[in-house]
Amino acid sequence: MAFGFFKKKEPAATPTPASPAAPLPDDPTVEPPPEKKGLLKRLTKAISKTRMILSRKVLGLVGLGQKIDDDILEKLEEAMIEADFGVETSGFLMDVVRSAWKNSTIETTDQVLPFLQKDLKHRLTHRGNALNFAKAGPSVILVVGVNGAGKTTSVAKLAWYLTSIGKKVVLAAADTFRAAAVEQLKTWSQRIGCEIVTGADRADPASVAHRGAERLLESGADVLLVDTAGRLHTQKNLMDELRKIHAACAAKKIEGAPHETILVLDATTGQNALNQADMFKQAANVTGLFLAKLDGTAKGGAVLTINERVEIPVKFVGLGEGVEDMQPFDADQFVDALFDLKDLASAQATGEPA
Ligand code: GDP
Ligand code: MG
């Protein structure tokens, strides 16, 4: 099978300067606070379809420690495709399992899922999932994506998140092509309690970014978040706009800005999301993904496929329409929820599907 796109050379790891406010890995011995438990529940629900089918189908195949053979591997691949991993991701995952079997890293079926879990965690984390901040001084985060992907909402979510970890945030409403987008962001900024810079209707987005950078420096804030227009009429159009915004930040002598360019993808749109990612990657130096609307997919496979295909780390997931309905992406938690081995084991013991 051809899985050429998975075998592209890996880009150099995104440098992730340690930030004192960067989220710490979860300590499994500490009981998560209620709001975090709620989000974990929602994450689990978001991937419930994949999870359910995986549990039911895969359990019978790999639950018992029998010797792996070609027939079992073929059935396992079918089960993965049904679990919405998609043909390509399933094929790829099975490629990984097959070669591990051929070189005797795994020999019995009960080793398949633990092996895959470890492998997937590596795939989802090896590019670094933490937000990049400036090494010194304030940071600029550009948020890009097509109209309707969830950009403005994700900007608000990022503002809420950054504020909650103690950063002072300024918003620049640089999507000046839709008056509603400016109003939407204004409303969020009032709720979150952060400053917002807006421009006149149809103002040059770069001028709004420029004023945002000015306010960032004047107000001594930590982070400027720039909402952009999702215009993709032509790639040149998009590139020109992004270039101007880059130049506006550079003119303010904010070294290294933008420190992050976050591409917002609607996780429910499958192949479209992948096409958009290709487009934006060519136009801008995208450094991280915000996968919005994961609550609307019920298919966890989307995260894996996007991660493999786009080759840019998933940094945040959106789990609803409110500002708090988001999470910094936690690959361990995600993969554990996807292949809940505890559930599998107890289902096996009772003979019930998990
Ligand atoms: P933009 O055009 O890219 O700026 O997209 P918006 O931020 O305006 O969002 C478009 C629609 O998607 C709005 O109705 C949002 O409430 C909704 N939306 C954004 N993020 C999420 C999410 O994570 N989950 C759900 N269910 N809806 C979302
Ligand atoms: Mg918008």
Side-chain angles (χ1 to χ4, degrees):
M1 272 201 221
F3 302 113
F5 60 78
F6 287 120
K7 297 200 169 130
K8 270 189 225 152
K9 68 174 177 17
E10 279 160 13
T14 315
T16 47
S19 154
L24 294 169
D26 285 346
D27 179 347
T29 60
V30 177
E31 177 80 353
E35 72 275 13
K36 207 154 178 213
K37 259 192 188 164
L39 279 175
L40 179 59
K41 221 185 235 169
R42 253 186 288 169
L43 180 73
T44 309
K45 195 169 162 230
I47 57 178
S48 60
K49 189 172 169 199
T50 303
R51 210 172 147 254
M52 232 168 56
I53 300 174
L54 253 189
S55 311
R56 220 184 284 138
K57 299 262 172 187
V58 174
L59 175 68
L61 291 169
V62 300
L64 302 167
Q66 47 184 304
K67 276 214 162 305
I68 296 172
D69 60 31
D70 278 316
D71 185 43
I72 286 178
L73 292 183
E74 225 161 84
K75 286 195 181 121
L76 192 57
E77 183 161 356
E78 277 165 28
M80 284 190 176
I81 292 169
E82 275 183 65
D84 275 315
F85 274 140
V87 176
E88 281 156 333
T89 306
S90 305
F92 168 68
L93 291 177
M94 292 310 300
D95 230 19
V96 173
V97 172
R98 263 192 200 99
S99 58
W101 170 51
K102 294 232 159 95
N103 69 26
S104 303
T105 306
I106 54 171
E107 289 174 345
T108 53
T109 53
D110 55 320
Q111 294 171 323
V112 172
L113 287 187
F115 170 78
L116 255 189
Q117 274 190 305
K118 201 170 145 212
D119 186 80
L120 288 178
K121 284 179 186 177
H122 172 71
R123 279 170 200 288
L124 289 164
T125 53
H126 75 108
R127 297 183 186 99
N129 307 79
L131 208 48
N132 289 320
F133 292 105
K135 288 198 179 70
S139 306
V140 178
I141 302 176
L142 211 56
V143 178
V144 300
V146 301
N147 268 337
K151 260 183 330 294
T152 304
T153 310
S154 300
V155 166
K157 286 173 176 176
L158 286 170
W160 173 83
Y161 165 73
L162 290 168
T163 306
S164 78
I165 60 170
K167 305 263 185 200
K168 189 172 167 191
V169 176
V170 175
L171 299 177
D175 181 359
T176 55
F177 293 86
R178 290 166 65 223
V182 175
E183 284 313 308
Q184 190 186 349
L185 201 56
K186 246 191 208 164
T187 308
W188 283 126
S189 75
Q190 281 157 6
R191 277 193 225 164
I192 297 162
C194 61
E195 189 179 345
I196 182 166
V197 174
T198 61
D201 189 27
R202 307 257 153 187
D204 181 4
S207 72
V208 181
H210 190 271
R211 284 197 38 226
E214 229 163 47
R215 279 306 300 152
L216 173 71
L217 297 175
E218 283 165 9
S219 69
D222 303 300
V223 182
L224 171 68
L225 280 167
V226 185
D227 188 19
T228 61
R231 292 183 312 155
L232 259 180
H233 303 318
T234 67
Q235 201 169 303
K236 184 175 173 304
N237 198 319
L238 175 73
M239 277 198 271
D240 283 350
E241 184 172 313
L242 293 177
R243 202 170 16 243
K244 278 203 252 169
I245 292 177
H246 275 231
C249 294
K252 284 280 129 200
K253 304 206 170 24
I254 303 173
E255 205 181 323
H259 304 88
E260 279 278 5
T261 299
I262 298 283
L263 172 63
V264 179
L265 294 175
D266 178 339
T268 63
T269 59
Q271 186 60 42
N272 259 345
L274 298 175
N275 295 343
Q276 287 159 22
D278 281 343
M279 196 93 136
F280 277 93
K281 270 173 78 172
Q282 285 169 42
N285 176 27
V286 179
T287 51
L289 300 180
F290 194 125
L291 290 190
K293 310 185 197 180
L294 203 62
D295 55 307
T297 64
K299 295 180 189 177
V303 176
L304 299 174
T305 314
I306 291 171
N307 179 68
E308 286 303 319
R309 284 283 298 272
V310 180
E311 299 182 315
I312 292 171
V314 178
K315 298 201 169 177
F316 293 91
V317 292
L319 297 165
E321 295 188 89
V323 277
E324 297 181 25
D325 299 329
M326 60 91 78
Q327 266 183 317
F329 182 62
D330 181 333
D332 280 349
Q333 196 184 66
F334 175 79
V335 173
D336 287 344
L338 199 57
F339 299 94
D340 195 332
L341 296 182
K342 266 202 313 287
D343 269 15
L344 288 177
S346 59
Q348 196 185 345
T350 58
E352 289 291 320

